[in-house]
Amino acid sequence: MRAKYLIGLGVILGALAYLIFGGLGQNLVYFLTPSEYLQDQGRYQNRPVRLGGLVKQGTVHYDKDKLELRFILTDGVAEVPVVHKGTPPGMFKEGQGVVVEGRFQEGIFRGTNLLVKHSEAYQAPKAGWTPEEVRKLIEEAK
Amino acid sequence: MTPALLGNLGVSLALAFSLLGLALSLLAYHQGDGRFLKGAKALVLSAFLAALTAFLALEWALLTHDFSLAYVARNHSTHDPLWVTLVTPWAALEGSILLWSLLQTLYTLLASRKPLDPWRASLVLAVLFGVQVFFFGVMATIASPFQTLPNPPADGNGPNPLLQNHWMMAVHPVLMYLGFVGLSVPFAYAVAAMVVRRYQTWVGETRWWTLIAWGFLTAGKVAGMWWSYEVLGWGGYWAWDPVENASFIPWLLSTAFLHTAIVQETRGAFKAWNFAFVTLAFAATVLGTFLTRSGVIQSVHAFAEGPVGPAFLGFFLLVTGLGLGLLSRVSREVRDTAVFRLFSREGALLLGAFFFAGWALVVVLGTFYPLLAEAFTGAKVSVGAPFFNQVSAPIGAGILLLMGIGPILPWRRPRAEVFQNLYILLAVLLLGTLVGLLRGYTFGASLAVGLFLYNTAAILLLVREGVLARLRAGLSPWGFLENRRRVGSLLVHFAVALMGLGIAFSQTYRLESEKTLYRGQAWEVGGVRMEFLGVRALDERRRFAVEASLRTDRFGEVRPRLHFYPQMNSPLPAPKVVYTPGNDYYFLLMDFDREKGEWASIRLIVTPLVFWMWVAGGLLALGTLYILWPAAGREEVKGVSPA
């Protein structure tokens, strides 16, 4: 009878291990900046990614009838074009730190969720910041 | 006398009473002297009154707009409506800890009124006083709600607008804390049981406590889901946010404990499991607070970071160390010696508990994985909702499967007549799933239909059996209702099956569509035809509202809003939800023409069966209440009655 229990426990643990290790790999969402993406493009194609950066000045185009928001995301060094379906959030503006959830497809980042990073502590980045500094700024702002 | 003075006095006195109570109850245990115990018991009420004074002092400060208190200046404004002001004590960290401590003293007070032998009474009080020392200590040192400002502002910020946007926020945190704190009593009894090496009775003695805590946790979770659905404007109720996970873990562990406790009560088995589960469930409430209040994990729930993180982590390690340390000391004595069959009531209960505990393990892993990954590889990753959903679906299905047969199986060994019932249930499960598949549902949704019908059938079989047994004995069939534990738990099980059905369908079939409409323009989507009539602005003093009017063919005029709070730079959506038994229609105003009000972007989310999830939430509370309701002629329950 004890063996039966051990078998049952083993089955459950095995199933759990499979779920955890099989499931986690495909569902990990990486947080990237544009430069990190450009260094290793192949790795992040068509898988869920959170892309953080700043909205580049003068690149925002919103079409309210198609509900399509286009802009360029930058970290001071590298740039990535973003297409987001849906209305921009209230605080969205040029020069703002944002995190876009979505996938890279054919060189364009297709966003499904757009989060604006804002807090009292937030300050606009200055010209000449390194990507690390931009990244830190975006991570720390809420 | 100022609120700050009174509040500090209350906190200091509560800390002093708790420290003294801890010392006296430990003395009472060591010396075996009843006078010390008497003294400790007298301090329970004093500590409660001191905590109540501190809490009322905070309310006083809020009601009189005393902005010399940092807490009031940060979380209150003179524009707040009365109900918002009254619930502001739990709108931020320090006040939440104060509410938590107040509830802890209340539970200690109620627990101390239960008759118990002096040895265990001293130990139970020592543990509960110890918990109080931690909370009041935190408030007296690093997170005081009564810190004053040298230059008080004329007006404050008001609480986080997300909290003001829905009245549910007044209820949800209190329910959660009542649940968290409630788990401290079974934990204290468990510690006492392990110290005095009397392992059997504590489970039955704390049955009410566990169930009360579980009932509050459940009600709190459902209330939080509803708040998320109605306020956050994404049309969902569960996002696997770290804070949701943090409060889900104690719920899972206390559910596991609730089920293995039945086996110990009836058969005297699973003692070690019960000690482990109750320790981990209580520890998980503390861990959750650490997670969400320390800023180590990003979350929508996170209050501003404070220095309380390490304190809570230390307390978590202390609780876990105490419970599991004692358990390892007595492990030889609590080992199960009897032989169990997997195919029996106790087998199903243990297997079910494993499912709950395993689920908790997976949630812990998914929640902490980003921390571990960053520590070891430096990579910034987050574990998405798909992972949790993918893992939870089979575990949930397994639990629903066990939930049906568990109560049907007899203790010890199956009898021949049980198999007939099992065949019926298996047929219902297969038939239900098949009907779902034939109707074109996905496999998951079809299985959910099958499992719902299977569980309903199992409950009907049990009711029929109970009624027939009474009729054969010449009793009134209505007497079956007096078996509160059975009837209540069947109601809870039915609610869980209904909840499962709602979750499966709302997660599988969800229609989301958005369009920019011009004045007078019509849009037909998701079975609704709507016409955009225009937007108007409303000045509501503490906030500014923009309201879009939509004329629909089925629900009359619908008015989703956007709320602009002065202390927030982005507007908050106030969706209009039309609940129907089939689908929920969730109207959102996303954007509008700020100049002339000529256009507005409208989003419609249609989700099936969400309505039934809230019904299930009500049934869960009702079922728990039914079990707890004191029956005539039985020992009166001393405890709070669940709201």
Side-chain angles (χ1 to χ4, degrees):
Chain A
M1 276 314 139
R2 215 175 162 77
K4 224 175 187 175
Y5 262 102
L6 287 175
I7 293 168
L9 196 65
V11 168
I12 293 170
L13 286 179
L16 272 182
Y18 168 76
L19 287 169
I20 290 166
F21 296 108
L24 257 179
Q26 293 151 27
N27 291 305
L28 280 184
V29 186
Y30 282 87
F31 182 94
L32 297 176
T33 58
S35 359
E36 283 166 328
Y37 162 65
L38 289 178
Q39 278 159 23
D40 196 358
Q41 294 191 25
R43 186 174 169 196
Y44 302 114
Q45 285 304 315
N46 208 10
R47 54 170 301 164
V49 165
R50 289 158 64 91
L51 189 69
L54 305 170
V55 181
K56 195 180 177 188
Q57 298 285 348
T59 62
V60 175
H61 296 283
Y62 174 57
D63 182 340
K64 68 174 190 297
D65 295 314
K66 276 158 74 184
L67 297 165
E68 193 177 83
L69 177 68
R70 287 172 178 273
F71 60 92
I72 287 177
L73 196 72
T74 174
D75 59 6
V77 173
E79 296 180 349
V80 171
V82 176
V83 179
H84 173 71
K85 274 281 174 201
T87 38
M91 268 296 285
F92 182 86
K93 61 173 187 279
E94 293 180 349
Q96 180 80 40
V98 295
V99 173
V100 198
E101 293 174 359
R103 287 162 191 270
F104 284 105
Q105 277 166 351
E106 291 135 23
I108 294 176
F109 190 72
R110 297 193 180 274
T112 49
N113 199 9
L114 181 59
L115 309 160
V116 176
K117 294 295 199 171
H118 53 79
S119 73
E120 297 114 74
Y122 180 81
Q123 45 164 333
K126 294 171 185 68
W129 280 31
T130 64
E132 283 69 37
E133 285 168 327
V134 173
R135 176 180 183 147
K136 211 165 150 38
L137 176 82
I138 289 162
E139 275 170 17
E140 281 169 6
K142 285 228 192 76
Chain B
M1 184 63 101
T2 63
L5 211 62
L6 186 67
N8 277 322
L9 187 71
V11 171
S12 314
L13 279 178
L15 177 60
F17 292 146
S18 303
L19 272 170
L20 197 60
L22 176 62
L24 282 180
S25 32
L26 285 176
L27 264 177
Y29 177 72
H30 272 286
Q31 309 286 324
D33 191 332
R35 281 172 301 174
F36 290 125
L37 180 60
K38 223 174 210 166
K41 275 194 174 171
L43 285 168
V44 168
L45 182 65
S46 319
F48 167 70
L49 290 176
L52 187 64
T53 307
F55 186 80
L56 291 177
L58 188 58
E59 291 281 13
W60 177 23
L62 288 163
L63 287 169
T64 54
H65 313 304
D66 183 351
F67 294 112
S68 65
L69 283 189
Y71 187 87
V72 178
R74 271 203 310 272
N75 302 298
H76 176 68
S77 94
T78 48
H79 300 300
D80 291 348
L82 183 65
W83 76 268
V84 172
T85 306
L86 286 174
V87 307
T88 301
W90 52 93
L93 176 72
E94 295 85 357
S96 298
I97 296 182
L98 178 56
L99 175 67
W100 189 319
S101 324
L102 173 66
L103 296 175
Q104 183 67 59
T105 57
L106 178 68
Y107 272 84
T108 308
L109 179 66
L110 295 171
S112 73
R113 294 287 179 269
K114 271 239 168 201
L116 200 62
D117 62 88
W119 299 105
R120 287 193 301 148
S122 320
L123 289 164
V124 166
L125 274 184
V127 172
L128 293 174
F129 272 128
V131 175
Q132 283 177 205
V133 166
F134 169 73
F135 279 105
F136 290 111
V138 164
M139 267 191 291
T141 53
I142 48 181
S144 168
F146 299 103
Q147 209 156 41
T148 49
L149 293 174
N151 300 307
D155 200 353
N157 286 327
N160 184 338
L162 278 173
L163 309 180
Q164 305 182 31
N165 231 14
H166 198 279
W167 59 270
M168 216 14 146
M169 255 305 126
V171 184
H172 160 68
V174 182
L175 291 174
M176 291 310 298
Y177 292 144
L178 279 167
F180 289 162
V181 175
L183 287 172
S184 67
V185 182
F187 172 70
Y189 270 71
V191 168
M194 285 188 278
V195 173
V196 301
R197 297 175 187 247
R198 282 180 48 198
Y199 309 116
Q200 179 55 27
T201 54
W202 72 277
V203 171
E205 285 157 355
T206 56
R207 190 170 87 206
W208 300 102
W209 293 103
T210 314
L211 202 57
I212 285 169
W214 185 87
F216 280 128
L217 275 182
T218 309
K221 292 254 76 172
V222 176
M225 283 156 73
W226 194 36
W227 170 80
S228 167
Y229 188 65
E230 289 237 317
V231 168
L232 292 184
W234 61 299
Y237 44 81
W238 192 269
W240 295 107
D241 174 276
V243 175
E244 290 169 0
N245 297 351
S247 63
F248 191 39
I249 295 162
W251 185 85
L252 287 169
L253 290 168
S254 57
T255 311
F257 170 59
L258 215 52
H259 288 93
T260 47
I262 300 173
V263 182
Q264 181 167 347
E265 256 190 280
T266 339
R267 293 212 54 197
F270 302 165
K271 293 189 184 84
W273 285 113
N274 284 327
F275 286 128
F277 282 145
V278 80
T279 301
L280 293 176
F282 179 59
T285 68
V286 182
L287 182 69
T289 311
F290 159 70
L291 254 190
T292 51
R293 303 297 171 246
S294 62
V296 291
I297 288 183
Q298 297 277 334
S299 154
V300 285
H301 289 68
F303 294 145
E305 291 151 35
V308 297
F312 273 87
L313 184 62
F315 188 55
F316 163 75
L317 293 174
L318 188 71
V319 168
T320 319
L322 179 66
L324 298 186
L326 282 171
L327 180 57
S328 75
R329 200 177 68 128
V330 301
S331 62
R332 209 179 285 274
E333 295 164 36
V334 293
R335 194 167 289 165
D336 287 325
T337 45
V339 174
F340 302 107
R341 284 163 194 274
L342 202 53
F343 203 61
S344 65
R345 176 84 60 86
E346 56 270 41
L349 284 165
L350 186 64
L351 204 59
F354 283 163
F355 269 100
F356 281 111
W359 201 351
L361 189 71
V362 172
V363 175
V364 168
L365 198 100
T367 311
F368 279 93
Y369 189 84
L371 274 184
L372 296 176
E374 198 181 349
F376 290 113
T377 67
K380 278 266 172 194
V381 295
S382 55
V383 176
F387 163 73
F388 290 106
N389 288 337
Q390 191 181 324
V391 177
S392 299
I395 297 179
I399 287 171
L400 287 175
L401 199 64
L402 282 171
M403 194 174 83
I405 53 169
I408 297 262
L409 289 173
W411 299 100
R412 291 164 210 277
R413 66 187 70 245
R415 288 187 298 269
E417 65 263 29
V418 168
F419 285 98
Q420 196 194 337
N421 285 342
L422 290 183
Y423 292 138
I424 295 175
L425 291 183
L426 196 64
V428 171
L429 175 62
L430 291 176
L431 216 63
T433 311
L434 198 64
V435 168
L437 287 171
L438 288 176
R439 292 201 59 178
Y441 297 146
T442 63
F443 176 68
S446 306
L447 187 62
V449 173
L451 283 168
F452 173 71
L453 293 175
Y454 153 89
N455 272 296
T456 313
I459 291 164
L460 290 177
L461 279 177
L462 285 167
V463 172
R464 177 173 162 269
E465 216 162 78
V467 169
L468 283 181
R470 293 190 66 87
L471 283 177
R472 271 197 302 273
L475 298 164
S476 150
W478 293 109
F480 179 68
L481 290 176
E482 276 161 31
N483 188 350
R484 291 181 172 273
R485 220 173 157 183
R486 177 97 305 192
V487 175
S489 64
L490 288 181
L491 189 57
V492 167
H493 279 186
F494 175 74
V496 170
L498 187 61
M499 186 70 93
L501 187 70
I503 291 172
F505 271 78
S506 57
Q507 292 290 324
T508 313
Y509 300 103
R510 182 184 140 112
L511 185 141
E512 199 170 340
S513 198
E514 190 175 335
K515 193 177 167 70
T516 299
L517 298 174
Y518 290 84
R519 198 193 288 270
Q521 189 182 350
W523 181 33
E524 199 166 340
V525 66
V528 192
R529 194 188 137 85
M530 64 185 102
E531 188 189 333
F532 173 54
L533 301 178
V535 289
R536 64 187 183 125
L538 302 147
D539 188 357
E540 294 182 326
R541 228 164 107 75
R542 69 193 160 115
R543 67 186 179 203
F544 189 70
V546 173
E547 192 174 83
S549 291
L550 299 163
R551 186 158 58 212
T552 64
D553 54 350
R554 293 172 60 184
F555 318 117
E557 207 169 307
V558 174
R559 297 195 190 92
R561 287 171 153 215
L562 276 174
H563 286 153
F564 295 80
Y565 286 88
Q567 63 271 47
M568 242 190 159
N569 349 29
S570 52
L572 284 182
K576 180 71 208 156
V577 192
V578 183
Y579 293 96
T580 74
N583 286 311
D584 273 12
Y585 297 86
Y586 195 97
F587 295 86
L588 277 160
L589 171 60
M590 302 298 293
D591 197 6
F592 60 94
D593 180 3
R594 272 148 226 257
E595 277 124 46
K596 288 182 283 182
E598 280 303 307
W599 57 267
S601 298
I602 302 293
R603 173 176 286 189
L604 177 70
I605 304 171
V606 184
T607 325
L609 303 192
V610 178
F611 174 75
W612 296 101
M613 292 179 56
W614 313 135
V615 171
L619 290 178
L620 280 171
L622 212 66
T624 314
L625 205 63
Y626 194 79
I627 304 175
L628 289 170
W629 205 262
R634 218 169 40 190
E635 183 212 15
E636 262 249 299
V637 197
K638 293 225 175 79
V640 287
S641 61

